[in-house]
């Protein structure tokens, strides 16, 4: 049942598939060529964030325009299933971007570095924190109102992005040193933490959506 | 006939509008017309039935079971046609069908394909290219292809031409011939004159009456005559009365007294619309 709802989100954004597929491969290569050594994490994270946000925004716009969720909620699809499918959609695009990045590393004529477990873990954690806030905010305030909130955040990006880029590109060892874990184990802990945050966000969104008038 | 859906004390406050203590029941094998003017509370009631709006109070039972505790089972036995369609317009008919069909455990694809063929639709067509009539037919094809026991339709005839409305009436009559039921909201009452078995009138968020159509039409009479027939006593026999310099016309619920007290009048069978307007205009 969830699978069909995830498929529905992909269908709603079908016009943008090709562009975003290309972006998911080309963007990380381009970003990495502009950065110094250790640029694989910001390259992967920022390109994935861009692709997922555009897809998420496109689907939300379609949902707001056609209000198809009202029809689906009148069928045996539950509101919980609709919300869970939204999270599944977002995370499946994230994993899709990871696969495309890996393919780009293997096939690109430009030398770019592979993402290790640590980078994958912190990318997933950051990604979960961002969408773990974005999704409930959108369900709470609706597409139109939340657009203004996100617009304000995007407006802030040029001011804070250089700082974030520097921090993300910072030597991995420096960020790991206070913790007594190996790099892959720390990555795994980040993945687990991402699942916990994702789960909390999911339950908040389900609660918000269960009382919403459609 | 057994009641299939029973609504008791349904209440909802939505801004300045309030749905007040709405109670009615739908019987098996019947077409029930849910009538009222725009803003009377028809769509709000239907959305409450479908769980699209959370109720403040009241209970809904489907075949004796509380729908809140068996929501998925209830919805799997319902067919839905909503006023605006609520379809993802950029998708094809096939893509939209695949999404909806996956929700139903008793989806009958061969029945759906037969309906699509019968309605002259093409599955590869985009929903946004459908005319209003075609869109309604598509919505019906989706709603009746999982052997639903009850078809709930919100203003299906709104904006349709007379030919499509006639086709809609035929579809509904065929549907109930199989022992299924239809709950149909409309402010166009002429179609209900032809197909409805029961009429429920809602006005300003309250149920005014719920009655079998034939009883309703037999009980009421559209009286026409000279204004000389009117006096303080006879005026009280009418629900509404329009007077002109040529005479009067009015709707009564007491035809026997009219016949007894007003000799030179003509009593005609009213339409559902005459009855509706009389009750909401009081």
């Amino acid at each position: 049942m969830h699978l069909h709802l995830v498929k529905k989100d992909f269908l709603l954004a079908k016009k943008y598939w090709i562009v975003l597929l290309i972006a998911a491969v080309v963007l990380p290569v381009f970003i990495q060529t502009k950065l110094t050594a250790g640029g694989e994490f910001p390259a992967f994270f920022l390109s994935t964030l861009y692709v997922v946000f555009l897809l998420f925004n496109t689907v939300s716009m379609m949902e707001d325009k056609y209000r198809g969720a009202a029809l689906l909620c009148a069928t045996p699809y539950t509101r919980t299933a609709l919300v869970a499918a939204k999270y599944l959609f977002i995370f499946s695009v994230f994993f899709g971007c990871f696969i495309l990045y890996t393919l780009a590393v293997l096939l690109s004529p430009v030398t770019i570095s592979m993402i290790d477990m640590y980078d994958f873990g912190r990318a997933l954690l950051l990604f979960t924190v961002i969408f773990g806030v974005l999704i409930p905010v959108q369900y709470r305030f609706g597409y139109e109102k939340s657009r203004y909130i996100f617009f304000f955040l995007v407006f802030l990006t040029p001011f804070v992005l250089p700082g974030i880029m520097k921090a993300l590109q910072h030597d991995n060892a420096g960020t790991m040193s206070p913790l007594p874990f190996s790099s892959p184990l720390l990555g795994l802990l980040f993945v687990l933490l991402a699942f916990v945050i994702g789960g909390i966000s999911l339950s908040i969104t389900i609660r918000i959506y269960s009382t919403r008038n459609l | 006939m057994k009641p299939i859906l029973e609504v008791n004390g349904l209440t909802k406050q939505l801004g300045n509008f309030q749905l007040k203590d709405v109670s009615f029941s739908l019987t098996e094998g019947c077409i029930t017309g849910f009538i009222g003017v725009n803003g009377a509370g028809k769509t709000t009631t239907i959305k409450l039935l479908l769980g699209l709006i959370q109720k403040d109070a009241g209970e809904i039972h489907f075949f004796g079971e509380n729908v809140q505790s068996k929501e998925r089972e209830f919805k799997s036995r319902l067919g839905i046609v909503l006023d605006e369609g609520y379809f993802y317009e950029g998708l094809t008919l096939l893509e939209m069908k695949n999404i909806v069909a996956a929700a139903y455990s008793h989806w009958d694809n061969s029945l759906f394909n037969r309906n699509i063929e019968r309605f002259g639709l093409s599955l590869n067509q985009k929903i946004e290219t459908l005319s209003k009539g075609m869109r309604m037919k598509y919505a019906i094809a989706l709603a009746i292809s999982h052997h639903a026991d009850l078809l709930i339709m919100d203003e299906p005839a709104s904006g349709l031409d007379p030919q499509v409305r006639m086709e809609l009436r035929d579809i509904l009559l065929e549907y109930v011939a199989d022992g299924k039921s239809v709950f149909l909201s409309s402010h166009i009452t002429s179609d209900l004159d032809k197909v409805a078995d029961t009429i429920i009138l809602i006005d300003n968020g309250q149920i005014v009456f719920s009655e079998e159509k034939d009883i309703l039409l037999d009980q009421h009479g559209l009286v026409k005559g000279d204004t000389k027939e009117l006096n303080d006593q006879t005026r009280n026999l009418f629900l509404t009365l329009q007077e002109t310099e040529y005479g009067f016309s009015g709707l009564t619920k007491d035809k026997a007294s009219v016949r007894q007290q007003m000799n030179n009048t003509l009593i005609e069978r009213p339409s559902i619309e005459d009855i509706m307007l009389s009750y909401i205009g009081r």
Side-chain angles (χ1 to χ4, degrees):
Chain A
M1 192 178 262
H2 289 76
L3 198 69
H4 286 91
L5 293 171
V6 174
K7 199 173 140 191
K8 180 261 299 176
D9 283 349
F10 277 105
L11 283 172
L12 290 180
K14 64 183 172 185
K15 274 187 192 167
Y16 304 95
W17 281 358
I18 300 210
V19 175
L20 293 175
L21 209 67
I22 294 167
V25 175
V26 173
L27 268 180
V29 177
F30 175 75
I31 294 171
Q32 213 167 131
T33 55
K34 301 290 169 195
L35 295 173
T36 53
E40 63 270 16
F41 173 69
F44 167 68
F45 176 71
L46 291 175
S47 60
T48 302
L49 190 64
Y50 171 79
V51 168
V52 179
F53 184 75
L54 279 183
L55 273 175
F56 172 70
N57 208 42
T58 304
V59 172
S60 302
M61 190 177 69
M62 299 287 185
E63 291 282 5
D64 183 67
K65 191 175 172 188
Y66 302 127
R67 297 162 68 203
L71 175 69
L72 297 181
C73 283
T75 70
Y77 283 125
T78 60
R79 291 188 183 212
T80 302
L82 258 76
V83 173
K86 189 66 69 192
Y87 279 78
L88 280 173
F89 168 68
I90 295 298
F91 285 99
S92 61
V93 178
F94 175 88
F95 288 108
C97 285
F98 174 68
I99 292 166
L100 286 172
Y101 178 86
T102 310
L103 287 174
V105 170
L106 297 172
L107 304 172
S108 168
V110 183
T111 312
I112 52 172
S113 310
M114 192 76 91
I115 287 281
D116 60 16
M117 188 61 206
Y118 173 71
D119 281 341
F120 177 82
R122 62 177 175 151
L124 182 64
L125 180 60
L126 261 177
F127 178 86
T128 309
V129 168
I130 292 169
F131 280 94
V133 173
L134 265 177
I135 300 174
V137 165
Q138 196 172 79
Y139 273 85
R140 172 68 184 82
F141 296 103
Y143 172 74
E144 275 300 323
K145 280 184 191 165
S146 61
R147 220 162 52 127
Y148 292 111
I149 299 168
F150 302 150
F151 177 76
F152 178 70
L153 293 176
V154 171
F155 177 74
L156 285 179
T157 312
F159 302 103
V160 294
L161 195 64
I164 293 172
M165 293 278 278
K166 268 188 186 171
L168 293 176
Q169 215 183 349
H170 198 263
D171 182 19
N172 292 349
T175 54
M176 289 188 299
S177 57
L179 295 162
F181 302 120
S182 65
S183 172
L185 188 62
L186 197 58
L188 200 64
L189 282 175
F190 285 157
V191 171
L192 289 175
L193 192 58
F195 273 104
V196 172
I197 292 170
I200 293 168
S201 171
L202 174 67
S203 64
I204 291 170
T205 312
I206 287 170
R207 200 172 302 169
I208 292 169
Y209 199 50
S210 66
T211 55
R212 194 121 198 228
N213 291 337
L214 300 172
Chain B
M1 277 183 285
K2 283 190 292 182
I4 59 163
L5 187 91
E6 291 166 283
V7 177
N8 291 307
L10 204 56
T11 301
K12 177 72 186 179
Q13 182 78 46
L14 272 175
N16 293 327
F17 176 77
Q18 193 190 13
L19 201 72
K20 288 162 255 174
D21 197 24
V22 166
S23 301
F24 59 87
S25 69
L26 308 180
T27 43
E28 209 171 25
C30 285
I31 297 178
T32 303
F34 191 41
I35 61 170
V37 292
N38 288 332
K42 301 186 297 294
T43 299
T44 303
T45 305
I46 286 179
K47 284 191 169 181
L48 283 165
L49 291 181
L50 300 175
L52 301 181
I53 299 176
Q54 308 302 308
K55 62 182 191 286
D56 294 337
E59 282 193 349
I60 304 162
H61 288 88
F62 187 62
F63 283 107
E65 304 258 23
N66 192 321
V67 301
Q68 225 166 359
S69 57
K70 297 199 170 180
E71 193 187 348
R72 281 197 66 193
E73 193 190 317
F74 166 59
K75 288 182 176 176
S76 68
R77 296 173 73 181
L78 288 187
I80 315 292
V81 177
L82 297 173
D83 57 343
E84 293 162 48
Y86 294 95
F87 296 129
Y88 298 107
E89 305 268 318
L91 303 188
T92 63
L93 273 60
L94 182 64
E95 287 167 341
M96 187 76 214
K97 184 275 289 184
N98 287 338
I99 296 166
V100 173
Y104 295 99
S105 50
H106 299 294
W107 183 264
D108 186 340
N109 217 39
S110 58
L111 177 60
F112 173 77
N113 288 333
R114 280 203 303 278
N115 285 325
I116 286 292
E117 202 175 316
R118 175 187 170 190
F119 297 152
L121 298 166
S122 162
L123 286 174
N124 295 320
Q125 200 173 351
K126 277 195 176 179
I127 295 170
E128 64 195 359
T129 64
L130 295 178
S131 66
K132 183 121 183 145
M134 294 297 233
R135 189 179 297 244
M136 192 275 295
K137 286 178 184 174
Y138 176 60
I140 291 175
L142 282 178
I144 63 174
S145 296
H146 57 279
H147 305 284
D149 293 307
L150 172 64
L151 182 60
I152 295 183
M153 308 175 91
D154 188 18
E155 301 280 2
S158 180
L160 299 182
D161 64 52
Q163 193 192 343
V164 179
R165 277 165 48 204
M166 190 181 72
E167 287 178 57
L168 171 66
R169 290 197 297 268
D170 291 342
I171 295 165
L172 296 183
L173 289 171
E174 262 178 52
Y175 189 74
V176 290
D178 292 340
K180 308 201 186 276
S181 309
V182 176
F183 183 56
L184 165 73
S185 90
S186 182
H187 62 272
I188 305 169
T189 53
S190 56
D191 297 322
L192 296 173
D193 273 320
K194 296 180 177 104
V195 295
D197 300 296
T198 305
I199 301 290
I200 299 172
L201 173 64
I202 186 167
D203 187 42
N204 200 22
Q206 283 179 301
I207 298 293
V208 179
F209 62 71
S210 174
E211 190 60 88
E212 274 184 43
K213 184 189 76 182
D214 291 336
I215 292 175
L216 198 66
L217 294 176
D218 286 344
Q219 271 178 350
H220 294 83
L222 188 63
V223 186
K224 291 176 181 172
D226 198 290
T227 46
K228 279 186 277 184
E229 298 283 336
L230 295 172
N231 55 43
D232 288 346
Q233 199 183 351
T234 55
R235 278 176 198 278
N236 287 331
L237 299 172
F238 294 94
L239 296 168
T240 52
L241 198 58
Q242 285 93 43
E243 291 175 64
T244 65
E245 55 186 293
Y246 303 108
F248 77 91
S249 75
L251 195 95
T252 183
K253 204 187 170 185
D254 191 356
K255 288 195 285 188
S257 298
V258 169
R259 280 194 194 99
Q260 206 173 35
Q261 296 172 36
M262 304 170 85
N263 296 324
N264 298 315
T265 53
L266 179 71
I267 303 178
E268 293 175 352
R269 192 175 165 88
S271 64
I272 298 291
E273 187 170 284
D274 294 327
I275 297 171
M276 178 178 95
L277 291 175
S278 296
Y279 277 90
I280 62 174
R282 289 165 81 186

